[in-house]
Amino acid sequence: MPTLRHITAQATYTTPLGQVLIARTEAGLAGLWFESQKWHPAPLDAPERPDDPLLREAATQVTDYFAGRRTRFELPLDLHGSPFQRSVWQALRDIECGATRSYADIARGIGSPQAVRAVGAAVGRNPISVIVPCHRVLGSSGQLTGYAGGLDRKRALLALEENTR
């Protein structure tokens, strides 16, 4: 996650799956966390700016996603993590809406087929829920596995995408 000094604005919005905190840096969107999500940041030392153009646009695109009007997000992102984590998060962004991949698929796709557990850890630390679609990753036999936002949210997101296809 970006350090607190990098976050320049934040806002809280309501989605059908609960409140989300959206945060940005000068470079782009840096976080979208569901309320009570694992790895939800401590209170951010950044101004509440629901009028910030990027935060407003992110909220609009997330609203359109939940309404079934959007399947891809077009927002500048500022993903802070290790090079390995960023490669995993980029791979997540390449999974089409309504599709799923396994952790092993992601590991092979980034050229690290033995790193399945590390991929799982990186997926779990994804700082931008929904927009970087970590909910589209399943266990190798297709079972639902952990989701930092909770398995009920993961089920709901996958069901929404199934109905959007």
Side-chain angles (χ1 to χ4, degrees):
M1 186 181 118
T3 60
L4 296 180
R5 71 179 188 279
H6 291 110
I7 301 293
T8 58
Q10 64 177 319
T12 303
Y13 296 96
T14 302
T15 76
L17 298 180
Q19 295 282 104
V20 292
L21 172 64
I22 304 176
R24 69 161 301 163
T25 65
E26 287 296 324
L29 196 66
L32 187 151
W33 302 274
F34 285 104
E35 186 174 49
S36 73
Q37 174 176 326
K38 187 175 183 181
W39 309 117
H40 192 288
L44 299 173
D45 186 25
E48 277 282 332
R49 294 277 318 274
D51 62 331
D52 177 89
L54 177 57
L55 297 180
R56 223 178 32 238
E57 181 59 25
T60 296
Q61 289 190 27
V62 168
T63 298
D64 288 348
Y65 166 82
F66 278 110
R69 297 185 298 262
R70 175 175 290 277
T71 59
R72 285 194 72 73
F73 294 91
E74 299 166 10
L75 297 161
L77 302 183
D78 188 14
L79 291 162
H80 288 252
S82 71
F84 180 82
Q85 287 174 319
R86 288 193 312 270
S87 72
V88 170
W89 298 334
Q90 181 55 52
L92 299 177
R93 294 184 71 205
D94 294 337
I95 305 171
E96 294 292 322
C97 184
T100 58
R101 297 288 178 275
S102 70
Y103 296 96
D105 292 335
I106 301 294
R108 281 189 299 275
I110 64 169
S112 298
Q114 302 303 317
V116 176
R117 288 183 189 268
V119 165
V123 169
R125 292 300 295 250
N126 169 28
I128 306 180
S129 296
V130 180
I131 293 169
V132 176
C134 53
H135 61 276
R136 295 178 187 157
V137 182
L138 305 175
S140 55
S141 64
Q143 79 274 20
L144 287 183
T145 56
Y147 180 65
L151 284 180
D152 288 342
R153 285 187 179 122
K154 185 170 188 165
R155 278 187 203 91
L157 291 165
L158 292 171
L160 170 71
E161 292 183 2
E162 181 64 31
N163 292 329
T164 304
R165 288 199 308 185

